[in-house]
Amino acid sequence: MSDTKSPNINSLSKVRNIGIMAHIDAGKTTTTERILFYTGKNYKIGEVHDGNTTMDWMQQEQERGITITSAATTCFWKDHKINIIDTPGHVDFTIEVERALRVLDGAVAVYCAVGAVQPQSETVWRQARKYNVPTIAFVNKMDRVGADFNNVVSDLRNKLSANAVPIQMPIGAEAEFSGVIDLIKMKSFTFSGAKGEEILESAIPEELADDAELARAEMIDSLSELSDEIADLYLEEKEIPEELIIAVLREHTIKNDLVPVLCGTAFKNKGVQCLLDAVLAILPAPNELPDKQGLNPKNDEEILLASNPKGPIVALVFKIMTDPYVGRITYVRIYSGSIKKGDKVENFRNKKNEKISRLLQMHANSQEDIKSAQAGDIVAIVGARFCTTGDTLSTNDFPCVLEEMTFPDTVISMVIEPKSSSEKDKLEIALKALSDEDPTFNISFNEETAQTLISGMGELHLEIIADRLIREFKVNANTGSPQVSYREAILKTAEFTETFVRETPNGNLFAEVSLKVEPLERGKGFVLDNRLSPGIIPESFENSIIEGINESSRTGVEHGYPLTDTKVSIVGAAHHSTDSSDIAFKAAASIALRNAALKAQLVKLEPMMKLEIDTPEENTGDVIGDISSRRGSVLNMESVGNFSKISAHVPLAKLFRYTTDLRSLTKGRASASIELSHFSEVSEK
């Protein structure tokens, strides 16, 4: 085990910011618990099945045995500081993975040695590639029946198109798994002691020597394609230094040219220390990545930010959390400069100043007050009242805005109301706090029914929200059944001019607005194009037109569903010198949009979900028949051992309580993953 004391680390080269990501049940949290134990952060190991893990601290996580919210912590290994974020594996909480990867320098992707690349494995892989996050693969659960290291490597290459390069090979598998062979050092490592804390380095067992030489040759062959120096030594049959192999692995992992693959079993305490060594040796320090791109909001000039503790202050807000004792906690990644308690920073998105009243180092749901933090650190701030996820904090001396984060559309909603009028204010405050925390949780109010609607990414997402309202915020509320969040779109191009004239007790109102609507490809969203020539109408009236269009597009022009896959162009406007007003132009824009959309033939869109099912082969026919009965279509099917992997598209409206129905259909042996694929015109069948 590492020295349990926290060394005073000031050098950026000694810092690693990593995330642990995977499909649900691949062993992320178990792996993180071992890391915290071996680094001395924890003195005992928490287990998911016992509901006592450090990183899954929420009651809902401990009861369900899943990770719901990303949790941050800091530990130390061999004089290096490692900031870790453990992320969820369930698709309903994929935003937690998204925002974690946005601020991380590297990731450990955990794969089940039996399940290999599973549906959410593919999702988090795409997210890591989106942000160019260098990644190490850890094949976990090598002790499980059916464990197959080579099959996982093959899946990484075929399903993810990853240049997977094993740098270890397992010693045995299933019940016979006892350790790993390091293909760089060409040594075997086994683990003993009550918690696997004793590491025995020895020669490679004679019966595995030939296999190890072959595996090393394959590793060197892969690296020779990326390094002329290794290629030359390889062709000349000369010894390739260990330092050169690590240097090439590091360089090309950082460039995302390859993915080193390791293995072990976190639950049986084998291989995690070697994984930690690989994190230090291969994944980048903050100052080894390209300069971060930003923008000066005052003149729109591009800024390049080096990871320099002595530079100007620039930090990105990536998570908001409400603590019952501390209050609002704002998680930030510092990209440049240093911040300390009492500093003032500015949020140029909303033009608000924020004071850092406390600075915290987080360890899951516990905090440690610190005096300062610098570039490369991931910390939490108390006192920032106006931030939202994706905001940039900088100063007037160096105004800077980093690229904002994008969030997926919600697909499911339900009515919520307080059980008594006395609970109304408490409910509103609690919902506001939860929406501040979670950008994929939305609140809206239906004027016609006078009901509050909450929307999220899936049934489990809203179930957890409702549970948190009761437990954390002590709010008694009634909820309705989950409902599908539909969309509206148009099929044709159309134009409409609204001449808005009203007589009121306070005078006449006049505004004229001409709009053109055009259909866009599915998935393009809503686009607003202002084609008005400067000076045709006052700027405040232009802003009112834009506001009216945006509001109407969000609330729906006919059935109350948001308008999507539509381009709206403002092509004309006229005003009166005395009778025109902001209210008149906002109303005219709203009416013009409604009438233009109706002329363009409105259609209703529904969310289509990608359904991934693992089922025993004997149940395959029943499962496929059930998919057909739900208006679904099978996209692909393959056999893996005695199981079938089925991919399908199914309307969300037909998937409520699906996992329960699937368990009944297969006697509890099948599992399913559901995520949004696209919106499609509602079928009448």
Side-chain angles (χ1 to χ4, degrees), residues 70-142:
S70 56
T73 190
T74 300
C75 57
F76 298 88
W77 180 254
K78 297 184 177 177
D79 294 327
H80 283 67
K81 177 181 180 181
I82 307 177
N83 295 312
I84 301 174
I85 299 181
D86 177 32
T87 64
H90 195 286
V91 69
D92 279 17
F93 310 104
T94 192
I95 183 58
E96 293 285 340
V97 186
E98 179 92 11
R99 57 183 173 186
L101 287 171
R102 174 68 171 81
V103 299
L104 292 170
D105 302 327
V108 175
V110 180
Y111 299 93
C112 173
V114 181
V117 173
Q118 296 166 285
Q120 189 67 359
S121 309
E122 297 183 55
T123 301
V124 297
W125 176 261
R126 289 196 303 269
Q127 290 171 312
R129 298 287 71 76
K130 175 181 175 181
Y131 295 115
N132 295 314
V133 179
T135 305
I136 286 176
F138 180 63
V139 180
N140 191 30
K141 301 190 177 184
M142 283 300 303

Side-chain angles (χ1 to χ4, degrees), residues 489-490 518-528 564-568:
I490 59 173
E518 302 167 80
L520 298 176
E521 291 179 26
R522 293 287 173 258
K524 294 296 183 182
F526 180 78
V527 177
L528 177 56
T564 191
D565 300 339
T566 301
K567 180 180 180 181
V568 178

